[in-house]
């Protein structure tokens, strides 16, 4: 085990950089959220609470006001101001603020303004949009010190940290580890643990072996077939929690053969997700059939799941004009629960079609994700991605992944774009839910993805370690304690 009061967390990848606004990966969020905080955030039950904010309200159409907590210290000894909060949001939202165009997307928010005499900021949004507060409570939007950012170039911001969170950076080795010590002046009081370390290990076997050897306290993505091994080992156990993350294979609509709706549907009909969940994930998961998870606002309970139907899939491939095509499924390694094995099962099932050949290319997670940008003409045409719904609203996943200009989009379509925009401008909650459910049916029918499953998160823990596993993938080190 690590030093007595140091908690070691092993995720799949380790972060490439530490700028909280220059990434879209959950594993990087888990690391940077130890040092940086949001205006609003969500607790383990998914309820919004004020992190750096005392009060929040809509003061007029298109404008909300957030009153900041006073005397909040940064790690460098300076104090949080409205200018810092507004600057941080604008750094994401506005290209001309700072020297960074953030990959994070904060739609429907348009701009933030400091209100000094109220010790607050106003957030300006599309006039009727109902999810501004939910957006602010997502895993994005960490608050930085304006002067600290402006005094550094982007390379330094990526390697250093100055937040208001419960842990201060001690050492960062790119793609290897991040080491923290607790921030003694943290406004809620010092954390129970004195020091914290995040490490990366893409290979599941490596992560499990390190846990069993006493080299970690918390290990993510334990493979299902290793659960009994971890449970039977003295000093370790497994925490399982239903997750709001759905892995899928995105198919870029502007690239052959995925420009054919018949071909995309055929890929879904070739895959038996029930079998994959049972045989690859040992039952830890549930089939998905739309971009929105069950239990999330806008989920459509009437959407059917694609059944495996090789005969119809073969017919659709012929209709698409792409009979005989070879496709490659790009998969990250160690990012999602048994991601490589799931990809291999999907490719094997597709390969059973007589008129399609499928193969898998395993990719370094950071390298693959760096290629996934709004430019649909570059990078892989079919790749595994997973998105956790941090605000329990369908728009949180649809907007970045399935609308024009989304931060990680693989999709362009005028009709679904128009329907999404209508939903986002609808102030009546019931009507907005109807529109989002209609949109989910459309996405099922148009098949932009090979739908896979809603995964379970399996965490391996040491018995000396106490924490609460969450369904939104967030790992909160302030709640950590050790015996």
């Amino acid at each position: 085990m690590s030093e007595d009061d140091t908690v070691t967390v092993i995720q799949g990848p380790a972060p490439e950089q530490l700028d909280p606004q220059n990434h879209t990966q959950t594993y990087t969020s888990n690391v940077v959220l130890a040092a940086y905080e949001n205006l609003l955030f969500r607790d383990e039950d998914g309820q919004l609470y004020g992190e750096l904010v005392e009060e929040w309200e809509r003061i007029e159409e298109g404008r909300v006001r957030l009153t900041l907590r006073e005397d909040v210290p940064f790690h460098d000894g300076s104090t949080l101001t409205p200018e810092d909060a507004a600057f941080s949001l604008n750094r994401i939202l506005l290209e001309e603020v700072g020297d960074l165009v953030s990959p994070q997307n904060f739609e429907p928010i348009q701009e933030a303004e400091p209100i000094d005499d109220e010790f607050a900021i106003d957030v300006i949004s599309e006039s009727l949009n109902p999810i501004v507060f939910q957006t602010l409570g997502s895993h994005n939007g960490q608050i930085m010190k304006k002067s600290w950012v402006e005094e550094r170039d982007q390379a330094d911001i990526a390697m250093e940290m100055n937040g208001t969170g419960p842990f201060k950076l001690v050492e960062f080795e790119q793609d290897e580890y991040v080491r923290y010590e607790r921030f003694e002046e943290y406004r809620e009081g010092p954390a129970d643990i004195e020091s914290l370390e995040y490490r990366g290990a893409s290979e599941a076997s490596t992560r499990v072996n390190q846990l069993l050897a006493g080299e970690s306290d918390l290990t993510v993505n334990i493979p299902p077939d290793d659960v009994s091994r971890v449970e039977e080992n003295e000093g370790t156990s497994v925490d399982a929690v239903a997750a709001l993350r759905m892995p899928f294979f995105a198919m870029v609509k502007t690239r052959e053969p995925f420009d054919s709706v018949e071909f995309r549907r055929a890929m879904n009909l070739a895959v038996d997700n029930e079998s994959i969940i049972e045989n690859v994930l040992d039952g830890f998961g549930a089939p998905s059939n739309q971009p929105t998870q069950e239990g999330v606002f806008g989920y459509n309970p009437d959407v059917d799941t694609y059944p495996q139907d090789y005969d119809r899939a073969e017919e659709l491939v012929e209709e698409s004009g792409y009979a005989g095509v070879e496709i490659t499924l790009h998969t990250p390694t160690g990012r999602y629960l048994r991601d490589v094995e799931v990809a291999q099962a999907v490719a094997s099932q597709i390969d059973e079609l007589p008129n399609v050949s499928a193969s898998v290319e395993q990719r370094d997670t950071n390298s693959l994700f760096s290629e996934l940008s709004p430019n649909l003409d570059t990078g892989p045409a079919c790749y595994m991605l997973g998105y956790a719904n941090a605000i329990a609203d369908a728009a949180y996943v649809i907007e970045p992944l399935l609308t024009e200009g989304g931060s990680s989009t693989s999709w362009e379509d005028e009709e679904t774009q128009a329907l999404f925009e209508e939903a986002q401008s609808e102030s009546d909650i019931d009507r907005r839910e109807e529109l989002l459910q209609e949109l989910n049916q459309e996405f099922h029918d148009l098949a932009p993805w090979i739908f896979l499953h809603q995964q379970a998160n399996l965490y391996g823990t040491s018995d000396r370690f106490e924490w609460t596993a969450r369904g939104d993938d967030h790992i909160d080190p302030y709640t950590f304690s050790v015996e």
Side-chain angles (χ1 to χ4, degrees), residues 349-370:
Q349 291 177 353
I350 293 173
D351 207 50
E352 289 293 319
L353 291 170
N355 50 3
V356 179
S357 297
S359 61
V360 171
E361 183 169 340
Q362 298 182 37
R363 300 289 305 278
D364 171 76
T365 299
N366 287 327
S367 174
L368 175 59
F369 285 0
S370 70

Side-chain angles (χ1 to χ4, degrees), residues 66-312:
L66 300 101
T67 303
L68 303 178
R69 298 183 186 278
E70 297 190 18
D71 300 321
V72 173
F74 281 93
H75 298 162
D76 66 357
S78 61
T79 304
L80 174 69
T81 68
E83 287 77 12
D84 298 325
F87 169 83
S88 298
L89 296 187
N90 287 332
R91 189 168 181 257
I92 298 173
L93 294 164
L94 303 176
E95 180 175 342
E96 63 267 28
V97 174
D99 58 0
L100 170 70
V101 180
S102 173
Q104 297 174 358
N105 199 312
F106 247 34
E107 294 286 349
I109 298 170
Q110 296 168 328
E111 189 175 358
E113 298 177 351
I115 310 296
D116 290 331
D117 58 351
E118 299 284 346
F119 206 74
I121 66 168
D122 280 4
V123 172
I124 301 167
S125 67
E126 299 171 7
S127 60
L128 296 176
N129 196 278
I131 63 166
V132 172
F133 296 125
Q134 292 95 316
T135 300
L136 288 168
S138 74
H139 288 185
N140 298 333
Q142 284 78 60
I143 301 305
M144 309 177 76
K145 186 67 182 177
K146 179 181 178 181
S147 59
W148 185 88
V149 172
E150 292 177 335
E151 291 166 0
R152 288 163 173 77
D153 59 27
Q154 187 55 41
D156 290 334
I157 296 169
M159 300 297 290
E160 303 171 16
M161 306 182 86
N162 179 34
T164 61
F167 292 91
K168 294 174 56 175
L169 180 67
V170 173
E171 185 178 5
F172 171 45
E173 184 67 33
Q174 192 175 35
D175 294 321
E176 293 290 337
Y177 59 82
V178 182
R179 291 174 181 158
Y180 291 109
E181 64 183 10
R182 69 183 176 194
F183 180 37
E184 298 293 342
E185 288 76 39
Y186 183 57
R187 68 177 189 285
E188 300 292 339
D192 284 346
I193 62 171
E194 293 181 359
S195 53
L196 173 68
E197 180 173 321
Y198 290 89
R199 287 189 169 271
S202 294
E203 292 294 330
S205 59
T206 302
R207 295 196 302 275
V208 172
N209 288 336
Q210 289 174 329
L211 175 68
L212 299 180
E215 297 173 10
S216 74
D217 294 290
L218 174 61
T219 299
V220 306
N221 287 349
I222 298 297
D225 55 1
D226 280 324
V227 168
S228 60
R229 184 176 167 216
V230 173
E231 291 281 8
E232 293 168 3
N233 179 67
E234 184 177 356
T236 59
S237 58
V238 172
D239 288 336
V241 60
L244 288 178
R245 180 176 297 281
M246 292 194 308
F248 56 87
F249 275 102
M251 296 177 282
V252 179
K253 185 185 178 185
T254 57
R255 308 272 292 278
E256 296 181 354
F258 307 112
D259 56 345
S260 165
V261 65
E262 291 82 10
F263 189 87
R264 297 194 304 270
R265 288 173 179 161
M267 296 302 94
N268 278 281
L269 289 168
V271 176
D272 183 350
N273 278 314
E274 293 277 8
S275 173
I276 291 173
I277 292 167
E278 181 65 28
N279 297 307
V280 179
L281 301 178
D282 285 2
F284 291 105
S288 62
N289 57 13
Q290 58 189 289
T292 300
Q293 302 94 324
E294 185 174 1
V296 169
F297 184 85
Y299 172 79
N300 189 335
D302 298 324
V303 173
D304 294 327
T305 299
Y306 280 96
Q308 187 179 52
D309 187 339
Y310 276 131
D311 291 340
R312 182 57 181 150

Side-chain angles (χ1 to χ4, degrees), residues 244-444:
L244 288 178
R245 180 176 297 281
M246 292 194 308
F248 56 87
F249 275 102
M251 296 177 282
V252 179
K253 185 185 178 185
T254 57
R255 308 272 292 278
E256 296 181 354
F258 307 112
D259 56 345
S260 165
V261 65
E262 291 82 10
F263 189 87
R264 297 194 304 270
R265 288 173 179 161
M267 296 302 94
N268 278 281
L269 289 168
V271 176
D272 183 350
N273 278 314
E274 293 277 8
S275 173
I276 291 173
I277 292 167
E278 181 65 28
N279 297 307
V280 179
L281 301 178
D282 285 2
F284 291 105
S288 62
N289 57 13
Q290 58 189 289
T292 300
Q293 302 94 324
E294 185 174 1
V296 169
F297 184 85
Y299 172 79
N300 189 335
D302 298 324
V303 173
D304 294 327
T305 299
Y306 280 96
Q308 187 179 52
D309 187 339
Y310 276 131
D311 291 340
R312 182 57 181 150
E314 181 181 353
E315 291 173 0
L316 286 172
V317 171
E318 295 294 333
E319 292 175 20
S320 75
Y322 288 116
V325 73
E326 298 180 2
I327 64 172
T328 301
L329 280 60
H330 293 249
T331 179
T333 303
R335 175 64 191 95
Y336 311 114
L337 186 63
R338 304 210 73 180
D339 41 22
V340 173
E341 292 86 346
V342 169
Q344 290 169 338
V346 170
S348 176
Q349 291 177 353
I350 293 173
D351 207 50
E352 289 293 319
L353 291 170
N355 50 3
V356 179
S357 297
S359 61
V360 171
E361 183 169 340
Q362 298 182 37
R363 300 289 305 278
D364 171 76
T365 299
N366 287 327
S367 174
L368 175 59
F369 285 0
S370 70
E371 297 177 18
L372 307 183
S373 71
N375 185 353
L376 305 183
D377 297 325
T378 62
C382 183
Y383 54 87
M384 184 187 287
L385 189 64
Y387 220 78
N389 201 314
I391 68 172
D393 187 285
Y396 187 77
V397 170
I398 292 172
E399 194 283 327
L401 299 179
L402 293 167
T403 65
E404 296 175 18
S407 59
S408 301
T409 191
S410 60
W411 185 252
E412 292 179 355
D413 182 82
E414 290 183 3
E415 292 185 6
T416 57
Q417 183 75 22
L419 187 56
F420 178 77
E421 291 174 0
E422 182 181 357
Q424 290 301 84
S425 63
E426 178 57 63
S427 59
D428 182 88
I429 296 299
D430 292 338
R431 176 57 181 156
R432 181 169 179 270
E433 183 174 31
E434 291 176 0
L435 291 168
L436 290 172
Q437 289 177 338
E438 180 182 346
L439 187 60
N440 274 307
Q441 180 68 65
E442 287 293 316
F443 281 129
H444 169 273

